[in-house]
Amino acid sequence: MITLLLLCGALSGVTTVLFGFGGGFFTVPLIYTLVIAQYGAASPTGLAAMQIAVATSTCVMIFSAGLSTLHHHRAGSLDWRSVRPLVVGIIPGAALGAACAIGLNGDLVRYAFIAYLLITIADCLLRPGFLRRAPAPSQQVSGGATAGIGGIIGLIAALLGVGGSVMTVPLMRRRGASMTGATAMANPLSLPMAVIGTLVWLAMARHLPGTGGPGFIGAINLRAALLLAAGAWVGISLTSRFIGRLPDAVHARIYPLLLALVTAVMVVAG
């Protein structure tokens, strides 16, 4: 279990740097599967497995998104002017999303997670502007509209524990960003969501049966979170030297393939 968590953390660190996601899309299926295997699907903790997975993933994301943001900033790949307007909406959206996730049935959250992935894969493959870099739009989107989009991103991301990268990367891509630029911006946008979401999980997890026992802080599996963060540090540190080196077309094609792999894992885990 220790080795598996470290390896998954390292893999999520690699994809966090190169693709803007990793924490949620790898750790949520893994933690969900491990909790079910350890406690049993019918136990109180097993019934809360999806919420535990989302809460733990959200906590680890604080570390991985923060560290990846630092590396991208040093590499000069971050466009902070595009990031700031979205953050205004992401913060309240994240608080609402995390609060909603606590009260939902675990299976419902898992089905929503899978549906979210499938819709995103279809959007990347079928709608123009992702696989091939779109030209920058002639008109700028207003600050209010951008904040509203940020609110939706924050709500869905905190609800599912995925960081919002699967919405922000296609959004920035269709606004004319390269894959390097789009994935770079996903990390600082995930950071406020992770902080707000974690605080909400800690404050409200007492209402969730099966959590809060030994090894847990609220709904967060502390041991899993620490091992995943340690692995993520290794993955991010090793991968940061490759920022901007993947050809744009290859970068864009790998993105939906990774999402399809995660979707398959989540379906099998059920």
Side-chain angles (χ1 to χ4, degrees):
M1 177 179 173
I2 293 175
T3 302
L4 184 60
L5 286 166
L6 287 171
L7 287 174
C8 183
L11 180 60
S12 72
V14 171
T15 56
T16 296
V17 171
L18 295 182
F19 300 98
F21 71 81
F25 289 105
F26 290 101
T27 60
V28 169
L30 175 62
I31 296 170
Y32 174 82
T33 304
L34 291 177
V35 170
I36 293 294
Q38 182 176 355
Y39 295 95
S43 69
T45 303
L47 292 173
M50 193 62 192
Q51 284 92 340
I52 291 169
V54 170
T56 305
S57 168
T58 303
C59 179
V60 173
M61 211 178 299
I62 297 174
F63 174 80
S64 58
L67 184 58
S68 184
T69 296
L70 177 62
H71 281 288
H72 274 288
H73 176 70
R74 288 175 175 172
S77 54
L78 269 172
D79 179 3
W80 288 105
R81 292 174 300 176
S82 298
V83 169
R84 293 187 186 100
L86 285 167
V87 172
V88 174
I90 280 178
I91 292 175
L96 179 60
C100 290
I102 291 172
L104 291 178
N105 176 273
D107 284 338
L108 180 60
V109 177
R110 185 172 71 87
Y111 295 144
F113 188 95
I114 293 169
Y116 173 79
L117 288 169
L118 291 172
I119 291 170
T120 302
I121 293 167
D123 180 72
C124 291
L125 296 177
L126 301 177
R127 195 154 65 102
F130 186 86
L131 293 180
R132 292 186 178 182
R133 184 175 179 179
S138 57
Q139 292 184 335
Q140 294 294 322
V141 181
S142 69
T146 301
I149 293 170
I152 295 170
I153 292 171
L155 189 151
I156 296 175
L159 182 68
L160 304 180
V162 295
S165 59
V166 177
M167 286 174 284
T168 58
V169 170
L171 173 68
M172 295 303 180
R173 181 73 168 163
R174 291 192 172 93
R175 290 188 178 183
S178 66
M179 279 299 294
T180 296
T183 55
M185 285 183 275
N187 287 292
L189 291 172
S190 295
L191 188 55
M193 185 286 299
V195 172
I196 297 297
T198 298
L199 291 174
V200 172
W201 277 110
L202 289 174
M204 300 185 66
R206 64 182 182 275
H207 301 297
L208 187 64
T211 63
F216 286 86
I217 297 179
I220 298 167
N221 186 319
L222 183 59
R223 184 187 185 197
L226 291 174
L227 289 169
L228 288 165
W233 177 78
V234 174
I236 291 170
S237 299
L238 292 176
T239 311
S240 60
R241 68 192 70 181
F242 298 105
I243 291 174
R245 295 190 181 184
L246 269 179
D248 192 76
V250 174
H251 204 165
R253 284 176 172 81
I254 294 174
Y255 190 87
L257 290 177
L258 286 175
L259 295 186
L261 176 62
V262 176
T263 305
V265 170
M266 203 62 205
V267 171
V268 172

